[in-house]
Amino acid sequence: MFKFTIKAGMLVAAMAVATSCVNDLDRVPKYEVTSASVYKDFANYKPVLARLYATLAVSGQQGPSGKPDISGIDEGTSNYMRLLWKLQELPTDEAKIAWNDGTIQDINKITWTSSDGFITAMYNRIFYLISLSNEFIRETSDAKLSERGISGQNATDAKTYRAEARFLRAMAYFHAIDLFGTVPFVTEADAPGSFLPRQATRQELFTYVETELKAIETELAAPGAAEYGRADRAAAQAILARMYLNAEVYIGQPKYTEAIAYTKKVIDSGVYKLEPTYQNLFTADNNISKEIIFPITFDGTRTQTYGGMTFLVHAQVGGSMSAAAYGVGSGGWSGIRSTQKLVDVFPDVSATADKRGMFYTDGQKRELEDLGTFTDGFAVRKYTNVKSTGGQASDQQFVDTDFPLIRLADMYLTYAEAVLRGGTGGDQATAISYVNLLRTRAKAATVTTINTDFILAERARELYWEGYRRTDLIRYGRFTTATYLWPFKGGIKEGRAVDARFNLYPIPATDLVANPTLKQNNSGY
């Protein structure tokens, strides 16, 4: 398994040169090593690649904190996965957080500004990963490998590593497209720190990510052939399918036919299988699941962080919930819970007719009256730091559970929605059969007809708290409009429409100052 130890990547800090657009993105600590000294020895290549992957999971060079990759914000609140989850879930009908850390309530309420610290941190994390990836890609070109005398199997492996770094960079740009729209653009071809990066349009970024993922598709390991935790070609195909499903939002062009084609590539590989028990996708040993296509991996003893899954498991536990029952004997954090709108998509929570509706109701109100009260809103017991067998994880504070960033169920639902939206190359009978595979696993009644509204609700039932909801609501035209309201949308208990500018997060004010060539992505910010 590729459950990396964060110490393996300490040398990469020295290579985080300023290819990012963020001139004030301080990278500490500094080490007296250079790219030349690191890359002359092929034994360093895989540890550096591991550190690229680790950028999604950890926040610095020392777990759980103390030597941060970026400065200006608490490490625990600002690792890549935790920020991505918060920005995708907290503004929606699926989750609200009870805390008052920084500007987190502005994220709850969709009232943020361009000076928001969490938005700035997400932007910086994206470009930190892009920066590290650019350096790795730059230093593993054919010419560089030849110059260093790296040949044979080592050269072959280096090319695969390079493709994986390109995947991570493309995924980071995909997140930038989704969250920010138009952002600065840098690749390995740009000399580090020598210029102010130009701002690419959303169309340009879309085309770039599409081109990159297609270029590396066959350079990545075959589906299921990579070490667990590393990207294979199915991961690249799944990102493409997601991009195509959202293409009308991103570039104003429908690409549902392409979405169908790429979901079929993943599904038809036959490698990834539905996990028989839904709950086992979210346990401390979920690394054994055949459904997870690309995880962000965690290990309670080797990737210690207060972000990531440590945050997600601890923060969902509060009220009368037993922390020990969720494998966090160090205590719950009484943070995140659902709104009644999420509960409403399940037919009968009390009878648990749909086994995916994993709510904790004892002492919890169904209705969310007060954002600051954890017991307002049903708690969610989806994630646990306990093994599927009931056994203990390796640590009771830091979590072993991996985050299922991409899994097969999303491909089934993406296929179904793309068919319903007019894509060719698929058919409605197959779409219904895919939906029913998920419903059968959930012990829910199967269906004979589906429409797009049903798919939106089914995506909530299947994928809630997995970082999809903001993107889904925007695609359906319901995130900012009055078409659909939920508690505290727009800052009031009943919910209200908000300005359309909130369909994108703003480019941080700090970067507009650092790079005067940039323009805000919406004049309303």
Side-chain angles (χ1 to χ4, degrees):
M1 290 192 306
F2 206 52
K3 285 215 173 188
F4 37 72
T5 300
I6 61 172
K7 289 180 181 178
M10 290 182 69
L11 51 85
V12 87
M15 305 182 306
V17 288
T19 55
S20 168
C21 58
V22 188
N23 289 353
D24 63 343
L25 180 54
D26 297 327
R27 295 178 176 85
V28 292
K30 297 178 175 62
Y31 296 91
E32 293 301 321
V33 296
T34 65
S35 292
S37 65
V38 169
Y39 286 104
K40 70 179 180 181
D41 184 356
F42 180 73
N44 289 330
Y45 284 41
K46 192 173 183 181
V48 174
L49 177 67
R51 184 56 177 86
L52 299 187
Y53 281 100
T55 303
L56 299 170
V58 298
S59 56
Q61 304 299 314
Q62 171 183 289
S65 62
K67 293 180 179 179
D69 290 331
I70 65 174
S71 62
I73 191 168
D74 176 81
E75 280 191 70
T77 66
S78 66
N79 91 303
Y80 198 112
M81 192 222 102
R82 178 168 172 171
L83 288 167
L84 182 65
W85 189 93
K86 288 190 293 192
L87 295 189
Q88 289 288 68
E89 293 290 350
L90 294 183
T92 77
D93 57 341
E94 288 191 349
K96 290 288 175 274
I97 198 162
W99 306 333
N100 283 305
D101 297 356
T103 54
I104 198 66
Q105 289 301 323
D106 291 338
I107 307 296
N108 266 346
K109 299 173 183 176
I110 319 182
T111 57
W112 54 76
T113 70
S114 63
S115 61
D116 188 282
F118 295 106
I119 294 170
T120 299
M122 182 74 251
Y123 182 91
N124 289 348
R125 290 289 180 197
I126 286 171
F127 280 100
Y128 185 69
L129 178 54
I130 289 169
S131 175
L132 296 187
S133 301
N134 280 342
E135 182 72 0
F136 188 87
I137 294 162
R138 185 183 296 115
E139 293 295 333
T140 51
S141 67
D142 289 345
K144 290 278 190 179
L145 295 176
S146 177
E147 177 185 308
R148 298 182 185 115
I150 295 172
S151 60
Q153 188 59 49
N154 286 351
T156 299
D157 290 345
K159 291 177 182 179
T160 301
Y161 299 164
R162 191 172 196 262
E164 291 177 60
R166 290 172 71 183
F167 167 84
L168 290 170
R169 180 179 62 183
M171 186 174 69
Y173 271 123
F174 166 65
H175 291 150
I177 292 168
D178 186 74
L179 296 168
F180 298 101
T182 171
V183 298
F185 179 65
V186 286
T187 73
E188 78 280 6
D190 299 309
S194 65
F195 69 106
L196 293 174
R198 74 173 185 87
Q199 188 168 10
T201 67
R202 217 175 192 185
Q203 174 70 71
E204 288 174 318
L205 292 168
F206 185 99
T207 300
Y208 172 76
V209 173
E210 178 184 34
T211 302
E212 276 288 282
L213 291 175
K214 286 183 174 181
I216 63 173
E217 191 176 346
T218 57
E219 295 181 11
L220 293 167
E227 286 180 279
Y228 177 80
R230 292 171 62 183
D232 63 13
R233 69 186 58 158
Q237 292 160 350
I239 295 289
L240 281 166
R242 283 192 189 179
M243 276 217 321
Y244 290 137
L245 184 66
N246 289 286
E248 278 200 280
V249 172
Y250 297 158
I251 60 173
Q253 300 173 31
K255 289 189 176 288
Y256 301 114
T257 296
E258 292 87 342
I260 292 169
Y262 275 86
T263 56
K264 286 175 68 175
K265 284 189 175 189
V266 177
I267 295 166
D268 292 348
S269 74
V271 169
Y272 293 98
K273 310 287 186 181
L274 283 188
E275 175 64 36
T277 303
Y278 181 77
Q279 173 63 54
N280 290 350
L281 287 161
F282 315 105
T283 57
D285 56 351
N286 63 348
N287 58 286
I288 64 176
S289 173
K290 300 299 184 184
E291 182 173 339
I292 298 174
I293 296 168
F294 184 67
I296 300 177
T297 63
F298 292 90
D299 185 290
T301 58
R302 292 186 291 176
T303 50
Q304 294 184 351
T305 171
Y306 294 111
M309 291 302 297
T310 295
F311 154 75
L312 198 49
V313 176
H314 280 269
Q316 72 170 14
V317 176
S320 63
M321 300 170 77
S322 164
Y326 296 89
V328 286
S330 56
W333 295 352
S334 301
I336 46 178
R337 72 282 195 205
S338 68
T339 80
Q340 58 264 39
K341 290 293 187 178
L342 175 59
V343 178
D344 288 347
V345 302
F346 292 92
D348 188 349
V349 173
S350 61
T352 59
D354 188 319
K355 300 300 181 182
R356 296 171 295 187
M358 294 182 287
F359 298 101
Y360 183 90
T361 61
D362 188 15
Q364 302 285 139
K365 295 179 183 176
R366 184 187 183 100
E367 304 295 312
L368 200 161
E369 302 285 343
D370 181 1
L371 279 172
T373 302
F374 176 79
T375 52
D376 275 17
F378 284 173
V380 169
R381 51 184 183 84
K382 182 168 183 171
Y383 296 98
T384 178
N385 189 39
V386 177
K387 294 181 179 180
S388 58
T389 59
Q392 286 193 342
S394 67
D395 191 271
Q396 291 290 290
Q397 180 176 13
F398 301 105
V399 170
D400 283 349
T401 313
D402 297 337
F403 185 71
L405 192 67
I406 306 171
R407 61 185 179 92
L408 182 62
D410 174 44
M411 293 296 97
Y412 286 160
L413 293 170
T414 297
Y415 176 98
E417 185 178 336
V419 166
L420 291 170
R421 291 186 182 275
T424 60
D427 63 87
Q428 194 158 148
T430 302
I432 292 170
S433 72
Y434 288 158
V435 168
N436 281 333
L437 286 174
L438 303 180
R439 294 184 64 80
T440 297
R441 172 173 67 177
K443 312 300 183 187
T446 57
V447 296
T448 57
T449 61
I450 56 174
N451 57 32
T452 53
D453 282 346
F454 174 86
I455 293 296
L456 180 62
E458 192 67 14
R459 287 183 69 84
R461 286 185 283 267
E462 179 68 30
L463 300 169
Y464 68 96
W465 283 35
E466 294 182 51
Y468 292 88
R469 191 59 170 174
R470 170 190 159 274
T471 302
D472 288 349
L473 290 174
I474 290 172
R475 187 172 66 255
Y476 274 77
R478 299 181 187 182
F479 185 63
T480 58
T481 64
T483 306
Y484 176 53
L485 302 178
W486 57 86
F488 294 97
K489 177 179 179 177
I492 64 172
K493 187 175 71 173
E494 298 78 15
R496 64 182 173 189
V498 298
D499 192 281
R501 72 177 182 273
F502 291 108
N503 283 319
L504 285 174
Y505 286 104
I507 294 177
T510 51
D511 210 35
L512 295 176
V513 172
N515 185 349
T517 70
L518 301 181
K519 296 186 183 300
Q520 188 53 269
N521 57 28
N522 189 293
S523 60
Y525 280 119

